[in-house]
Amino acid sequence: MTDGAHLTTVDTVHDAGSWLFTVRDAYGELDEVILVPCDDRVEGWINRCTHEAQRLDVGRGAAMRDGEIICPRHGSTFDSCAGDCDNGDAAGTRLVPIETTVEDGDVYLSDSSVTFANEGGIDEATTSPADDVDDEDDLPSSTSHIGF
């Protein structure tokens, strides 16, 4: 059995397209992580584009297409398995990995540099359900070179 926190299942990540959770680093700072499908497994990445620190998942799931994570701001795409970007403003960079382990279809946090804080984003740990109002102002502006 894995020592890390149980996160979710591989099936859940594959069915949803991505899964967002929050971790705390050694200094107590919170950061968001996305789990994304990668072949028959999942990969974990810090929820931040390498170009301008834009969140890849703003709480509605990461935009994915053909095995790539799409930055909602500039349209750079990152390989979901390797984290590498070969196009757009983030070309030549790589997402920051977070180690996970899969055991019997369950996904566990196994990265010793962080601890599990909560499912969902950072805001979900600090707001109450009454504060959860759908506000279109929190959507990223887009100057993407990729159309949907």
Side-chain angles (χ1 to χ4, degrees):
M1 176 86 180
T2 299
D3 291 334
H6 180 266
L7 300 173
T8 187
T9 66
V10 171
D11 288 342
T12 297
V13 176
H14 280 260
D15 291 346
S18 66
W19 196 80
L20 179 67
F21 67 102
T22 300
V23 294
R24 190 173 301 278
D25 69 16
Y27 302 102
E29 297 296 320
L30 295 173
D31 215 343
E32 293 178 350
V33 178
I34 54 172
L35 294 178
V36 294
C38 177
D39 302 324
D40 60 348
R41 62 186 197 281
V42 299
E43 290 293 333
W45 307 105
I46 293 291
N47 186 30
R48 190 171 44 250
C49 178
T50 55
H51 173 234
E52 286 186 353
Q54 167 69 44
R55 291 170 62 203
L56 299 168
D57 178 344
V58 296
R60 295 171 181 83
M64 302 278 298
R65 183 176 59 209
D66 298 328
E68 295 184 316
I69 306 162
I70 304 167
C71 174
R73 182 158 184 115
H74 294 108
S76 294
T77 58
F78 298 86
D79 182 281
S80 67
C81 297
D84 298 321
C85 179
D86 64 1
N87 65 67
D89 293 329
T93 66
R94 182 174 189 252
L95 296 173
V96 177
I98 293 294
E99 293 178 35
T100 60
T101 302
V102 174
E103 191 172 294
D104 297 325
D106 289 316
V107 183
Y108 297 88
L109 179 63
S110 55
D111 196 312
S112 62
S113 68
V114 297
T115 58
F116 179 77
N118 60 276
E119 182 177 339
I122 291 172
D123 295 340
E124 294 176 50
T126 59
T127 60
S128 69
D131 295 331
D132 188 19
V133 176
D134 190 23
D135 185 0
E136 294 297 322
D137 293 338
D138 67 351
L139 294 173
S141 61
S142 178
T143 56
S144 174
H145 68 283
I146 294 181
F148 293 102

